[in-house]
Amino acid sequence: MLSRWVMLGRAFYTQDDYLMLARSVDRPITFSFLFQNYSGHLFPGGFLWAWMDARWARMDWERSVPPVVLMWGFACVLAWLVGTRLVGPTWARIVPMVVFCASPISLWSIQWWAVAIQFVPVTCAFLLAVLAHLRWGSDRPRLASACVGLAMLLALAFQERGLLVPVIVGALALALASGSPSERVRTVLRRNLPTWTLTATLGLAYLLIHRALAPIEPGDAPTSNLSLLGNVVFRNALPGLWGGPWVPRFLGHGVSVPPVLAVVLTNAATLALVAWSIRHRGRDATWAWIGFGLVLLANAVLLLGGRTQLGAIFGLIPRYAADLLVPATVLVALLLRPRATTAAPGTRAEQRTLRRPSPLPLLIATAYALSSAVTTAAVLPETLNRLDRSWVGKARAALQADPNVVLYDGAVPGAMMVVWFGDDARASTVLAAVPEHPVFDIPSSRPYRMIDSSGHVVDVTLVEPVKAVPVKRDVCGYHATQTPVRVPLESPVGGEARVLRLGYYSGGQGYATVTYAGRAQQVAVAEGAGSLDLAVSGAADGFDVRLEAASGTLCVVSAVVGLPYPARHS
């Protein structure tokens, strides 16, 4: 837990973090807010967390970290309890605990805040469901059913992966049952019928709600699906669950390409472990692997249902395999589950047998921790989002130095918000939750400034400028009254976002309306000579200016329209 705190403390917001916080600022908690369609996802719990963080942390990373780390610490406690229930009070329970806590497959999902506030609660829900089944599944099935149902509701509030809850619990129940395959299935269905009835009802209701509020886009061709599935299982999940893939190659946006050697070794190790465990543990190991395979298949189905349109390469993103961490932990515990001892149950002889120190679990746990440490050391720098921290820090410092600055809302670097965010990938989104409350794109009597790619607030340079047609023999230029005056441009301009910079002279204070490409903006004019910057867009060959007051003088003496670019920082 301490290591997670240190690693997460070195990271920073990025990508979806900004958009979720921006959508949460100054918004009341309503049904439409909590159940909004977020790129095909439905997670009201995530937006509730973002809503609270936007008010509690206000873009202070040090305040956003503790809730995530504390909930992860709770998940580690649950993992220990699950391991103890399955393995018993033996040294072997250290192994599933180390797998859960140290596996690098969860690193990206915890370091990325917007993913962490979904992944960590869902992980807790998985473990709570497993623990409830282990505690009450055999003797108090109705209580177990209620607890599993509540855990599923908690998971579904944060991510569609909550649909895996009955699959994980069902796979565990099959592994713990006895008898032939048909006897195991009948026993599990009969003994835990309330659980399956409740979870099936919850799952169906959720799918209907999801379909109505956030329809899932259809996937690609089967060949693409198979490639995506192969990447997730053989090049992503298995290397990650073995503590790999050690030193991967990064392609950006979380895509991690494992070395071929890591893929070969971890897949071979998996096959060897399957063969060894089945040979030495018999049916118990067979059903443990069958259960893990069922969860693996269900996780793949969920992924194929919502992300195939992004291509097979997205199967190499670790967070899409991170939900297998709990099933893998349970699998390891099942494989280490001790066989019946010759000592009488509950006697001191049994306790000595169970608690006798054994070097093998310690060696396995140490080897796994070292493997995970190598991968974590290689991956961690990619998760720290240093550009985001530097960019936001410089921008906030400039806003504190000049609180009255008006910013032009320019694009941010793709490393902070990728091009898929479209028009949302702007400075106003990134800085929406900061306490400095920056102002963007309003008419300004001071020249606009904008934030460059490194986070400095700089002057705006107008590129490809188009000036107004000059007026000859008229010192007033274009004289605006309550009847709009047309200010023609020397040549038409396209529909891109631009800045209109006006020079004017006014006989007194007042208000005027500038209409560009059909959009009217009210501006304040000061007495004497002055200038105005306005954010405009749309194709136009001129604009209109109208004075609001019945009397007064407003002369537009110059005008230029151009594409805004940040000037070079000095």
Side-chain angles (χ1 to χ4, degrees):
M1 180 175 169
L2 180 60
S3 63
R4 290 289 186 183
W5 197 308
V6 172
M7 290 188 294
L8 187 57
R10 294 174 59 193
F12 200 70
Y13 308 99
T14 192
Q15 306 293 338
D16 297 84
D17 305 354
Y18 302 125
L19 185 56
M20 291 187 67
L21 289 171
R23 292 188 178 185
S24 303
V25 173
D26 301 327
R27 288 281 300 274
I29 298 180
T30 62
F31 180 88
S32 60
F33 167 69
L34 293 177
F35 288 85
Q36 61 183 284
N37 181 351
Y38 189 87
S39 300
H41 293 291
L42 202 64
F43 42 83
F47 275 105
L48 178 60
W49 190 318
W51 185 90
M52 293 187 293
D53 192 89
R55 284 150 182 78
W56 156 252
R58 300 297 291 178
M59 284 288 285
D60 184 345
W61 181 249
E62 283 66 32
R63 301 185 109 192
S64 293
V65 167
V68 175
V69 176
L70 290 175
M71 184 167 280
W72 179 252
F74 178 59
C76 292
V77 173
L78 293 175
W80 175 258
L81 295 176
V82 167
T84 301
R85 281 271 170 187
L86 287 172
V87 182
T90 70
W91 285 78
R93 59 181 168 171
I94 296 175
V95 179
M97 184 65 181
V98 170
V99 169
F100 180 83
C101 295
S103 175
I105 202 170
S106 64
L107 182 62
W108 285 95
S109 296
I110 297 176
Q111 292 289 105
W112 186 347
W113 181 82
V115 178
I117 64 174
Q118 302 168 58
F119 169 75
V120 177
V122 170
T123 300
C124 289
F126 286 170
L127 291 166
L128 285 170
V130 169
L131 193 60
H133 178 78
L134 292 173
R135 178 65 180 85
W136 298 298
S138 59
D139 56 347
R140 303 180 67 182
R142 292 189 181 276
L143 177 59
S145 170
C147 292
V148 172
L150 289 174
M152 185 174 179
L153 283 176
L154 171 64
L156 290 174
F158 287 91
Q159 202 181 65
E160 294 89 347
R161 293 298 194 278
L163 293 170
L164 293 176
V165 166
V167 183
I168 295 173
V169 174
L172 174 62
L174 285 171
L176 294 176
S178 58
S180 65
S182 59
E183 289 174 341
R184 286 178 184 252
V185 173
R186 285 197 301 269
T187 300
V188 168
L189 288 176
R190 183 180 65 254
R191 181 181 296 170
N192 304 110
L193 184 60
T195 297
W196 316 135
T197 303
L198 178 59
T199 54
T201 302
L202 291 176
L204 179 60
Y206 176 80
L207 289 174
L208 292 175
I209 294 172
H210 198 296
R211 181 180 178 84
L213 299 180
I216 299 175
E217 298 179 9
D220 286 342
T223 53
S224 176
N225 292 347
L226 290 176
S227 299
L228 177 62
L229 181 60
N231 282 341
V232 170
V233 175
F234 302 109
R235 302 178 67 193
N236 187 354
L238 293 182
L241 292 174
W242 278 99
W246 302 307
V247 185
R249 180 165 51 93
F250 303 102
L251 301 184
H253 314 311
V255 178
S256 176
V257 182
V260 175
L261 180 62
V263 175
V264 172
L265 290 178
T266 53
N267 280 265
T270 303
L271 290 175
L273 181 60
V274 171
W276 179 89
S277 60
I278 292 176
R279 179 179 179 182
H280 289 82
R281 302 301 301 268
R283 287 184 177 181
D284 291 342
T286 301
W287 280 97
W289 284 107
I290 290 174
F292 181 74
L294 290 174
V295 178
L296 187 65
L297 179 62
N299 183 73
V301 169
L302 289 177
L303 179 61
L304 293 177
R307 279 292 177 263
T308 56
Q309 69 273 17
L310 298 178
I313 195 172
F314 276 75
L316 298 177
I317 296 179
R319 70 177 186 273
Y320 291 144
D323 294 295
L324 296 171
L325 181 59
V326 170
T329 302
V330 172
L331 170 66
V332 172
L334 287 171
L335 295 179
L336 294 172
R337 188 173 172 82
R339 296 179 178 181
T341 65
T342 57
T347 63
R348 291 185 178 181
E350 184 199 41
Q351 295 299 318
R352 285 196 299 269
T353 301
L354 292 175
R355 295 179 180 176
R356 184 181 297 124
S358 173
L360 185 58
L362 293 177
L363 290 175
I364 295 174
T366 301
Y368 189 91
L370 290 174
S371 173
S372 300
V374 173
T375 300
T376 299
V379 173
L380 182 62
E382 299 293 321
T383 72
L384 299 182
N385 307 316
R386 293 189 177 97
L387 172 62
D388 297 78
R389 180 183 286 273
S390 173
W391 193 97
V392 173
K394 291 175 183 176
R396 290 186 62 180
L399 291 171
Q400 293 164 7
D402 186 4
N404 297 319
V405 66
V406 178
L407 298 173
Y408 179 79
D409 195 11
V412 297
M416 296 176 63
M417 295 189 76
V418 297
V419 67
W420 304 325
F421 287 101
D423 199 51
D424 288 321
R426 295 192 169 275
S428 59
T429 303
V430 172
L431 299 176
V434 299
E436 289 79 16
H437 301 292
V439 177
F440 294 90
D441 289 358
I442 65 170
S444 174
S445 59
R446 297 173 56 186
Y448 280 156
R449 307 197 80 195
M450 65 188 304
I451 307 175
D452 65 13
S453 59
S454 62
H456 295 105
V457 176
V458 297
D459 295 333
V460 173
T461 298
L462 298 184
V463 178
E464 299 180 11
V466 178
K467 297 181 179 181
V469 176
V471 179
K472 299 178 180 179
R473 305 186 187 89
D474 191 342
V475 294
C476 183
Y478 293 93
H479 186 195
T481 63
Q482 284 192 303
T483 300
V485 60
R486 182 69 173 176
V487 182
L489 299 174
E490 292 181 334
S491 62
V493 296
E496 303 93 340
R498 299 172 185 266
V499 167
L500 169 61
R501 183 164 291 164
L502 298 178
Y504 70 86
Y505 176 84
S506 174
Q509 295 182 346
Y511 292 93
T513 299
V514 179
T515 303
Y516 183 99
R519 180 193 173 208
Q521 300 184 65
Q522 188 179 66
V523 298
V525 294
E527 183 176 0
S531 64
L532 290 168
D533 274 14
L534 297 90
V536 297
S537 61
D541 57 5
F543 58 93
D544 299 319
V545 181
R546 182 174 69 88
L547 189 63
E548 297 290 339
S551 59
T553 300
L554 176 62
C555 300
V556 178
V557 295
S558 65
V560 60
V561 180
L563 298 170
Y565 279 83
R568 180 173 297 181
H569 176 68
S570 57

